[in-house]
Amino acid sequence: MEMIAGIVVGVVVVAGLLWFFLFRGKGEQALPKEAAKPAPTKKAEAPPKKAEPSEKKKKVEAKPAEKAEPEPEAEEPDEEEAAPVAEAEPEPEPEPEPEPEPEPEAEAEPSKEDVAALRTGLDKTRGGFIARIANLFRKKKDIDPELLDELQEVLITADVGVKTSEKILEQLRKRMDNAELDDEDKVWSALREEAMAILSVAAHRAPRVSESPSLILVVGVNGVGKTTTIGKLAARFKDDGKKVILAAGDTFRAAAVPQLEVWGRRVGCDVVKGKRKADPASVVFDAVKKAQEDEADVVIADTAGRLHTKSNLMEELKKVARSGEKALGRPVDEILLVLDSTTGQNAIAQAQQFRDAIDVTAIALTKLDGTAKGGVILGIVDEHGLPVHFVGIGERVEDLREFHAPTFVQALFAKPDDETLAA
C-alpha cells in the first residue's frame, strides 16, 4: 500500500510539475505579445515629440514676420518715387516753348548773305533785263497800261517766255484795274509776288534721298555741266556725312570718265566705271550693287549726253533708268535734269523732250552767272511744273546752291538802287 501511495504521490508531483511548467511557458509567451502592444504605443507617442520642433519652426517663422513689419516703411519710398512722376508732369509744359522755334526762320537773316551772293551770281541778268525794267520807270513815271506793255516785251526778251510773260502781265493788269499799282514800288512788289507764285512749285528743293542706297540719275545734253554738277553734289552729300559712290555711266565721251575720277579723288568717293563704250546701264547696275555691299548712302550716276532730238538715244536713257530700278528693287529716287541757263528758250524745249522720255523729277540750272537771261527759270518752272533743286552761280563747289525761291526772287527782282539787301 505504501508503495502504491508513493507511486500516486510521485505521479501527482510529476503532474504538478508538468502543469507548472506548461502553464508558465504559456504565460511567458503571452507576456511578449502584451509587451509588443505597448511598444507601438510608445512609438506613436514619439511623433508628438517630433511635432515640437515644428512649433519651434512656427516661432522662427513668426520672427521674420515681425521683421517684415518695417515693410510699411518701404511703402513710404514708393510714395516718394511717385512724387517725382508728378514733378515730371510739368516738364512737358516747356515743350510748347520750342514751338516758337520758327526762329530757324529767323535764320532767314543769314539769307541776306545768300541774297547778296545770288545777286553777285546774277550780275549779268540784273544788268540785263532787271536794269531794263528799272529804265522803264525812269523814262515813264506814270503807271499805265502802256508801261505794262513795255514790261511784257522786256520779260519776253529775257527768255521768261511768251506764255509766262503773258501770265504775269495778266495779273498785273488786274491789279492795275483795282487801283493797286499806283507807284513804282508797288509794281516791283507785284513782280516779286507773281514770280513767287510761279516758283512756289520749287519749294521742295532737297533731293529725294531716303532709302539707302538712294540713286540719283543725272541727265542732260552734252555741255550743260552734268559731270561738274555731279562732283559738286557729291561734295555736298559728303559734307552731310553721307557715303557716296559715283557711277561713270557716260561711256561714250572720251573725257567723261577721267573727269569724274578727278572729282572722286577730290571729294573722296569711289567711282564705278566700265570699259570704253561699255553699256551705261550695266555700269549703273554695278554701282548700285557695290553701294549695297559697302552700305553706301547715295549713288550719283552720270549718263551719256543725249541730244534731246535723237529718239534712239533717249531710248537708251530709258534702259539706264530701268537698270537702276532693277538693281534697287524699286523706282529710282531722283532723275535730275541739268539745263544750261545760257541756252534760254532751248532749255525749255530740252526739258520737254526729256520729260517725254523719262520721269524727270527735278532740275539743276547751271551757269546763271554767265547769262543776262536768268529769267528763263520762270519759264521752265511755269511750263513744266518741275521743281528746281539747284542753281549754279560759279565755278566753286559752294557755288552750286540749293534753290530757295524767296531768296532767289529777292536777289533777282531787287530794285537796282535798293541797297538794303547788300551784304
Side-chain angles (χ1 to χ4, degrees):
M1 290 294 291
E2 291 178 0
M3 289 179 65
I4 294 170
I7 292 169
V8 170
V9 172
V11 170
V12 171
V13 171
V14 171
L17 289 172
L18 290 171
W19 180 87
F20 175 80
F21 286 110
L22 290 171
F23 177 79
R24 185 177 179 183
K26 290 180 180 179
E28 289 176 353
Q29 289 174 357
L31 285 174
K33 290 180 181 179
E34 292 175 357
K37 291 179 182 178
T41 58
K42 289 179 181 178
K43 292 179 181 177
E45 291 174 359
K49 291 179 180 179
K50 293 179 181 178
E52 291 177 4
S54 67
E55 293 176 0
K56 292 180 181 178
K57 289 179 181 179
K58 290 180 181 177
K59 292 179 181 179
V60 174
E61 293 173 358
K63 289 180 181 178
E66 293 174 359
K67 293 180 181 178
E69 292 178 2
E71 289 179 1
E73 296 178 2
E75 293 177 358
E76 294 178 4
D78 290 342
E79 294 176 358
E80 293 176 1
E81 292 175 2
V85 175
E87 293 175 358
E89 291 178 357
E91 292 180 359
E93 294 179 359
E95 291 180 1
E97 294 179 359
E99 290 179 0
E101 283 185 354
E103 292 179 358
E105 294 178 358
E107 292 177 9
E109 293 181 358
S111 74
K112 288 182 179 179
E113 298 176 358
D114 293 337
V115 173
L118 272 173
R119 288 186 66 177
T120 301
L122 295 171
D123 271 348
K124 287 190 176 181
T125 294
R126 289 184 51 74
F129 92 94
I130 296 298
R132 290 178 61 192
I133 292 175
N135 287 332
L136 290 180
F137 294 110
R138 293 190 182 96
K139 292 188 301 181
K140 195 172 179 60
K141 297 297 182 183
D142 296 331
I143 308 300
D144 56 22
E146 184 180 344
L147 175 67
L148 296 186
D149 289 340
E150 293 183 36
L151 179 58
Q152 182 177 16
E153 181 182 348
V154 172
L155 293 176
I156 291 174
T157 56
D159 276 339
V160 172
V162 174
K163 179 182 174 182
T164 305
S165 298
E166 289 178 350
K167 183 176 182 178
I168 292 173
L169 266 296
E170 181 182 353
Q171 296 302 317
L172 293 183
R173 289 190 182 99
K174 287 180 181 179
R175 295 188 183 210
M176 181 175 287
D177 293 341
N178 294 331
E180 296 178 26
L181 302 182
D182 53 11
D183 63 35
E184 178 184 348
D185 288 334
K186 290 182 180 178
V187 176
W188 281 106
S189 178
L191 279 172
R192 285 192 287 269
E193 289 175 13
E194 295 306 322
M196 270 302 304
I198 292 172
L199 297 176
S200 60
V201 69
H204 303 291
R205 62 190 188 282
R208 299 186 306 184
V209 289
S210 51
E211 299 182 49
S212 294
S214 296
L215 174 59
I216 301 175
L217 288 182
V218 181
V219 302
V221 302
N222 283 324
V224 295
K226 291 194 313 300
T227 307
T228 301
T229 299
I230 290 170
K232 293 178 179 180
L233 189 56
R236 293 179 64 91
F237 282 123
K238 289 285 289 185
D239 289 344
D240 290 339
K242 296 186 181 298
K243 185 174 182 179
V244 183
I245 288 179
L246 304 181
D250 187 352
T251 58
F252 295 100
R253 185 167 64 92
V257 175
Q259 186 180 359
L260 196 65
E261 287 180 313
V262 169
W263 274 106
R265 287 192 295 271
R266 183 186 304 178
V267 177
C269 300
D270 289 338
V271 178
V272 176
K273 61 181 180 179
K275 295 180 180 179
R276 174 86 169 122
K277 294 190 176 181
D279 183 6
S282 66
V283 175
V284 172
F285 185 91
D286 292 343
V288 172
K289 290 304 178 184
K290 178 176 175 56
Q292 291 169 341
E293 293 173 2
D294 296 351
E295 297 183 350
D297 299 296
V298 184
V299 177
I300 309 176
D302 192 8
T303 60
R306 309 290 176 180
L307 289 173
H308 56 287
T309 56
K310 299 291 185 180
S311 59
N312 61 322
L313 296 179
M314 298 302 279
E315 286 299 322
E316 285 187 12
L317 189 57
K318 294 179 185 179
K319 180 182 175 183
V320 171
R322 289 195 300 269
S323 181
E325 291 180 359
K326 182 178 179 180
L328 290 170
R330 56 181 169 80
V332 173
D333 297 273
E334 190 86 82
I335 299 180
L336 186 66
L337 173 61
V338 180
L339 297 173
D340 181 349
S341 59
T342 63
T343 61
Q345 288 296 299
N346 194 31
I348 298 176
Q350 289 175 26
Q352 184 60 55
Q353 293 294 331
F354 276 94
R355 289 196 69 194
D356 290 343
I358 54 176
D359 183 22
V360 175
T361 57
I363 289 172
L365 194 62
T366 62
K367 307 179 187 180
L368 272 173
D369 58 316
T371 180
K373 301 181 178 182
V376 67
I377 192 171
L378 294 170
I380 292 171
V381 174
D382 183 45
E383 292 197 26
H384 299 297
L386 289 171
V388 177
H389 281 176
F390 299 99
V391 290
I393 57 171
E395 296 298 325
R396 300 173 303 170
V397 170
E398 58 268 28
D399 288 334
L400 180 69
R401 293 179 170 267
E402 285 187 1
F403 180 76
H404 185 236
T407 303
F408 183 85
V409 169
Q410 287 184 49
L412 184 61
F413 287 98
K415 290 173 58 177
D417 59 346
D418 188 355
E419 299 299 328
T420 60
L421 297 177

